[in-house]
Structure formats: C-alpha cells, structure tokens
Amino acid sequence: MQIFRMELWRSLRSWVYYTASLIAILVIFLTFFMTFREDAALLDELLQNFPPEFRAAFGFANVDLSQIEGYLSFIFSYLVLIGAVYGMKLGVSLLSEESRRKTADFLLSKPVRRDQVFLAKFSAAMVCVIVQNLLLFAAGLALIPILVRESYDIGIFALLSFSVLLVQLFFIGLGQVIASAVQTLKQVMPIALGVVFFFFIIELINQSLLEKALTYLTPFSYFKGASILHLHGYDTSYLLSDIVVFLVLTLLAAWLYRRKDIHAT
Amino acid sequence: MSASNVIEIRNLTKYYGKKSRGILDVSFDVMEGEIFGFIGPNGAGKSTTIRTLLSLIYPTSGSATIFGKDCIRFGHEIRRHIGYLPSEVFYYDNMKVLDLLKYSASFYGKVDMKRIEELSTIMDLDLNRKIDDLSYGNKKKVGIVQGLLHNPKLIILDEPTSGLDPLMQQKFFDLVQLENRKGATILMSSHILPEVQKLCSRVAIIKEGRIMKIEDIRTLRNTAYKKIAVSAETDLQADFAKMAGVTNCQRIDQEVTFLFKGNVNDLVQVLGTRSLQNLTIEEPDLDEIFLHYYQADA
C-alpha cells in the first residue's frame, strides 16, 4: 500500500500537467465551435478539393463538422493522441523510474515480492488514467452546454471521451513491457513520443490506403469518431482486441519484471 | 542446514549475458552471530554475490539459503530480517530524511520513532534535511540508519565505509559491533583489508569471481605480509633478497622494497645492523596479498 501511495505522489505532477492540458484543449476547441460552425459550409467546400486520403488521414472524413458531435469527434482525434503519449509515458516511467533514479536497491531489498511492487505501480497508473478520464468527461459535461448552447448527444460524447482511456490502456501495456524488458532506460519521453507517433503514422498510412489491412495494428484505428457516430457505440471486435492486447501486455510485463536482474548503477 | 549457519551459499554462479562473468561456483557459510568479511578487489564479484542473496539478481546456477530458506523463493520473507546497506546509496531526492526513514520503516510494520531518533543521533544525521541537499557521506548515513532501524537479524553491508570520514567510520563500526553483540549476524564486503581485520572473525577472499580462500582472521593475520621499503646509500637488495620470508624484492634507485612474512623480530635485527636513510613498514594492499594467493595456488 505504501508503494502505491508513493507512486501516486510521484506521478502527481505530470498527471496534473497532462490532465490540465487535455481539458484546456477541449475548452479551447469548444469556444471556437460557434464561430467555426458559421463557416463550416465553406470549410466543407474547401475540404472537398483535397484528396479523400488526406481528409481521412486528418480526421475530416465522413463527419459533419457543423454538427457538435462531428466537431467533438474531430477534437477527440487529437485528445486521444495526447492521452496516448501520457499513457505511454506512464507505463514506461513507472517501471523504469526506480532503475533510472537508482532507488531500485532500496525498494527491492525491502520485504516485498516483485509482484507486489508491480501491482502497486500498475494500480497507481490505473488510478491516474481513470481519474484523468473522469475529469475530462466531467469537464465536457459541465462546459459543452455553456460553450456550445445547443443540445447534443451525451452518449456519443461519453463514448468519444472514454476512447481516450481505451487507447491509453493499450499504450500503458506497451510501455510496461518496454520498461520491464530493457535493463535501464535513460530517458522516457523520446521513447514515449517515438512509439506513439509510430502507431499514429501507421494509422495515417492505414487511413490513406482506405483499406482495413492494418487497422488491428494500431489502437488509433480502434475508436474512430466516424465509427462511433455511425454505430452509436464501440466496434466490439476492436474493443475486444484493445482489452486483450492491454491484458496480455500487462501480464507479459509482470512476468518480465519478476525475472528482471536489478543491476547496481 | 546446520543449526548455526545463517547463510549457506552453494556453487553459486552468475553470468551476465552469455560470456560476462559475475561469480563462478561460489560456496561459503556464514555462522550465526559472527561478523563475516567478504574481501576482494573491485569487480571481483562481491556485489554480485550480495545482490543474489537479496534476490535483486537471479543466479545462473547454484543456490543460497538464508535462515534455512531459499533466498529466491522466500526472498520477501527473508528480507524482513535483513538490513542492507548498498555500496552506493540513492534515495528519492525530493523527500526529507525523516519521511524516507518512515517510508523505509513502514515495510517492517509499525514505525519505531524512538529507534530512528536513536540511530540518527549516533550517526549525527539531521532528520529534517532534504535528501537532495545531503553530501554523499550524509546519504550513506541515511543508508546506515534505514538498514538498521528494523533491528535485523542479518546485516549485509556492501563496501560500507566508502564516503564516511574516519570519525564516522569508527562510530559506524561501534554500531555494527553493538548490533552484533545484540545477536545480529553480519556479512560485510570490503576491498580494504585493515577494516576487515579490525571487525571480522572470518573472511572469504574472492578474486575474479572465484573464492580463493576462506580463513579465520587470526590465521590471516599470522600469515600476513608486511610491505617494507628501505633506503640506504649502500645497495641492500642482496642482503634482503636471500633472507627467509622475503618475496618480491625489488630495487628502484636507492630504495629496496619487498614483502616480508614471518617473525618481525628477525627482520628488525637485520635492519638494526644497517645504516638506513628511511624505512617504511606498511600493510600490503590487496593486490599484493592476492599475488601471494595466486602463487600459492599455482
């Protein structure tokens, strides 16, 4: 329990930054909506001149940006990206922080099992992302009526909002595996950004191909705004693969962490 | 296990990767209530052995038990009764010393503030400072206090005196001996022979991953070499080279150096008959001692 509290405490600062950024971006985009909508027809016309691959890659495909739900799905394609970076950073840093700061000797010479340490760190990560997503959702619930002044589908907003969490789970799983597999990571952010953008680029390629060939490879394909608007829910097979990937990677990370040699400096 | 052994290490081997040697076929026992020295040059495998005992790293082959329990399978139970001071200490920088000690104590049940204060007073450690602001020596003190605050039955010290000034070293040794008298068994690694000679009852000597010798400290002292350097206007090399107990006799300019083993009175008698400009008698450093073990084993 004390490890869990310690992890939360140590994660707090970056958690505040990312949570505030997510909410700030949501708010800024929402304040533009009313002005934006007046010119939406113009923008739609403009976008028609771009190739469909381009529109698809940047999230403009198959959504009506003059509708608040369509506009929200456009905002969330970017919030998901930021959330993914945070998830990756969290997964990587929780399990590599002790080695990088050289406090692993202190912690692991205490009477605790490796599994307990892993579980404490994992739980802290879960609390971080879950509370973050609840706050993002709550911020939306509170602010959309004020900033947009028109009725909107709360169900769709909830689905869009929690897609951030679902994508984060994928990257937390991946980050944990990387952190457990590598002896000592010198830096977290280059890896977090590199990996997340790698998957984002796969998604871009994927979108511009207009084929479904690569969609299971990248979580950015799993919860597309257009699909959520269309289905009024998540695509079950993508939802399942997201959860399965997350669970398998987490178990793999726990297994690797249990067997990891903790070297002196 | 035999009733009196706290640590039993059997054929412990650790490779890092395929080729890189950690330790090879290390076996020794540490008996209950003794202060056991583990001595060897840097990189010999002392830390590897100790880290395996704490299951920070996993052996390639062989096994070790502490309190009769396998140190990998029952690591978390065993560690409840171990106090460990790593050779280099690192703690969470933004914490206060007191908070770190409380955090450490929380792993062993109730936090005993009296014990924390008592140890900090002995080691002259300010509890209200931030870890960030501490010098290396002061961090080491934090390490000592956090290693002892739960009254461990086994204390494992890895190069404990590095970074401590002589006064603190002495306080620390007193503290270790006090814990030992209260019943704690102590395993201490070092590359400094005199400090091991001062504290320990038995030593294991390790070199290049292998145990060279396990010896009673008295035996080691009796077989101990002295490193002698004499300067004189006349060439004394020939005089000493043929003397019994002299090895490695060398001459550089006017100075003759050699290792001497045996009755020092014999040596003093010979020295007394010569006209000397200078004379030093030192403990040989470890490499020179190991040289002897190499020759003996070859």
Side-chain angles (χ1 to χ4, degrees):
Chain A
M1 198 61 193
Q2 61 272 67
I3 303 176
F4 171 74
R5 277 202 305 268
M6 183 77 161
E7 289 304 331
L8 276 187
W9 173 244
R10 291 205 290 155
S11 309
L12 186 64
R13 202 213 300 231
S14 79
W15 180 86
V16 169
Y17 289 154
Y18 275 90
T19 308
S21 306
L22 285 170
I23 291 172
I25 290 166
L26 177 65
V27 171
I28 291 167
F29 270 94
L30 284 175
T31 52
F32 289 142
F33 177 69
M34 296 305 278
T35 20
F36 176 80
R37 190 174 54 175
E38 288 163 22
D39 302 325
L42 217 63
L43 181 73
D44 271 343
E45 214 170 289
L46 182 72
L47 283 173
Q48 290 311 315
N49 295 326
F50 285 96
E53 291 83 0
F54 177 88
R55 276 179 282 143
F58 288 90
F60 297 116
N62 310 322
V63 289
D64 183 353
L65 293 177
S66 64
Q67 296 294 310
I68 179 64
E69 289 83 3
Y71 187 76
L72 281 170
S73 80
F74 169 70
I75 302 175
F76 271 96
S77 63
Y78 294 97
L79 292 181
V80 161
L81 184 61
I82 296 164
V85 171
Y86 179 67
M88 188 71 196
K89 175 189 143 28
L90 198 61
V92 173
S93 66
L94 280 175
L95 289 178
S96 66
E97 195 70 6
E98 307 274 354
S99 290
R100 196 171 35 260
R101 304 258 178 254
K102 297 167 183 171
T103 49
D105 274 20
F106 169 81
L107 183 62
L108 296 176
S109 62
K110 297 279 170 275
V112 285
R113 294 170 197 265
R114 290 274 178 97
D115 291 349
Q116 286 173 274
V117 176
F118 182 87
L119 188 65
K121 286 169 177 282
F122 172 74
S123 310
M126 287 299 103
V127 169
C128 284
V129 287
I130 289 169
V131 175
Q132 179 173 72
N133 277 272
L134 288 174
L135 285 178
L136 181 64
F137 180 61
L141 279 189
L143 294 169
I144 294 172
I146 300 169
L147 296 170
V148 173
R149 295 192 298 276
E150 75 178 45
S151 67
Y152 70 104
D153 187 332
I154 291 180
I156 292 284
F157 173 65
L159 289 166
L160 286 170
S161 186
F162 289 105
S163 70
V164 177
L165 176 63
L166 290 167
V167 172
Q168 280 176 323
L169 293 183
F170 182 98
F171 284 105
I172 287 173
L174 194 59
Q176 291 177 132
V177 169
I178 292 174
S180 309
V182 177
Q183 195 42 253
T184 305
L185 283 170
K186 292 267 178 281
Q187 294 208 300
V188 172
M189 277 322 277
I191 291 177
L193 288 172
V195 171
V196 168
F197 282 103
F198 171 74
F199 281 97
F200 193 68
I201 287 165
I202 295 184
E203 164 64 8
L204 293 185
I205 295 168
N206 192 12
Q207 285 294 331
S208 50
L209 288 175
L210 295 181
E211 281 174 34
K212 297 294 166 220
L214 301 172
T215 49
Y216 281 98
L217 290 182
T218 167
F220 292 115
S221 297
Y222 291 2
F223 310 104
K224 303 294 290 177
S227 153
I228 290 172
L229 292 183
H230 178 68
L231 292 172
H232 247 254
Y234 299 130
D235 183 316
T236 320
S237 57
Y238 286 138
L239 181 63
L240 270 178
S241 60
D242 184 63
I243 305 273
V244 167
V245 168
F246 165 63
L247 291 177
V248 168
L249 290 178
T250 299
L251 289 175
L252 176 64
W255 185 81
L256 287 169
Y257 190 68
R258 195 189 298 158
R259 278 158 184 75
K260 188 175 184 175
D261 277 347
I262 308 296
H263 294 299
T265 54
Chain B
M1 75 164 189
S2 106
S4 62
N5 283 344
V6 170
I7 303 177
E8 292 186 347
I9 302 177
R10 293 290 172 269
N11 309 104
L12 206 61
T13 297
K14 174 68 182 177
Y15 278 95
Y16 297 112
K18 286 236 161 60
K19 289 263 166 64
S20 175
R21 178 270 307 161
I23 47 173
L24 299 165
D25 212 18
V26 165
S27 301
F28 64 85
D29 298 332
V30 177
M31 293 184 292
E32 189 174 357
E34 77 174 327
I35 303 183
F36 189 91
F38 192 32
I39 190 156
N42 293 324
K46 301 186 296 285
S47 291
T48 300
T49 309
I50 285 174
R51 299 176 77 77
T52 311
L53 292 176
L54 292 157
S55 59
L56 289 170
I57 58 176
Y58 297 103
T60 310
S61 64
S63 66
T65 62
I66 298 179
F67 310 125
K69 289 176 181 166
D70 183 85
C71 73
I72 302 298
R73 277 181 61 209
F74 299 99
H76 65 288
E77 290 176 28
I78 293 166
R79 286 194 296 271
R80 176 165 294 278
H81 304 291
I82 296 182
Y84 169 55
L85 176 63
S87 54
E88 293 195 60
V89 288
F90 295 97
Y91 298 113
Y92 309 100
D93 280 346
N94 49 5
M95 282 177 99
K96 279 202 325 189
V97 173
L98 182 61
D99 294 331
L100 180 95
L101 292 175
K102 279 183 176 168
Y103 181 53
S104 180
S106 72
F107 287 95
Y108 305 95
K110 248 185 91 200
V111 179
D112 183 352
M113 271 312 294
K114 228 186 92 195
R115 174 81 174 154
I116 291 179
E117 275 163 17
E118 177 189 301
L119 288 169
S120 312
T121 311
I122 295 174
M123 292 313 296
D124 193 19
L125 177 66
D126 184 350
L127 291 175
N128 291 311
R129 292 186 57 189
K130 277 184 99 178
I131 306 263
D132 269 10
D133 306 333
L134 296 182
S135 66
Y136 185 72
N138 276 318
K139 277 188 194 165
K140 198 94 187 185
K141 293 183 195 170
V142 177
I144 292 167
V145 175
Q146 71 86 25
L148 297 178
L149 52 76
H150 53 289
N151 295 305
K153 285 195 249 171
L154 171 64
I155 301 171
I156 297 181
L157 309 166
D158 195 357
E159 303 277 355
T161 54
S162 65
L164 288 181
D165 61 56
L167 185 69
M168 275 304 145
Q169 281 188 21
Q170 193 49 53
K171 282 188 178 179
F172 170 62
F173 285 152
D174 292 345
L175 193 58
V176 168
Q177 282 169 323
L178 178 70
E179 290 303 310
N180 179 245
R181 281 196 297 277
K182 278 160 55 183
T185 305
I186 289 147
L187 170 64
M188 166 178 146
S189 88
S190 177
H191 65 276
I192 304 161
L193 191 59
E195 82 179 21
V196 171
Q197 283 177 331
K198 199 148 78 181
L199 279 181
C200 302
S201 48
R202 287 197 308 146
V203 288
I205 298 174
I206 187 168
K207 171 123 186 172
E208 289 175 359
R210 289 183 188 277
I211 297 286
M212 313 277 300
K213 197 146 200 159
I214 297 165
E215 212 158 24
D216 203 275
I217 202 77
R218 270 169 306 195
T219 324
L220 195 72
R221 212 172 270 147
N222 292 340
T223 58
Y225 282 67
K226 297 288 170 202
K227 186 177 163 186
I228 320 281
V230 291
S231 307
E233 292 204 354
T234 51
D235 181 4
L236 299 175
Q237 187 178 12
D239 295 355
F240 292 112
K242 57 177 191 267
M243 222 183 122
V246 169
T247 47
N248 294 41
C249 190
Q250 285 172 335
R251 177 166 176 256
I252 299 162
D253 295 332
Q254 296 203 316
E255 191 179 61
V256 177
T257 59
F258 56 90
L259 294 179
F260 178 78
K261 176 190 166 186
N263 189 339
V264 285
N265 294 306
D266 298 345
L267 179 70
V268 170
Q269 257 175 14
V270 176
L271 288 170
T273 61
R274 303 295 190 278
S275 160
L276 305 179
Q277 289 176 325
N278 197 11
L279 166 68
T280 55
I281 302 178
E282 303 176 307
E283 297 290 333
D285 60 39
L286 263 185
D287 280 344
E288 287 160 322
I289 298 212
F290 286 127
L291 203 65
H292 151 67
Y293 280 112
Y294 263 146
Q295 285 163 346
D297 291 1

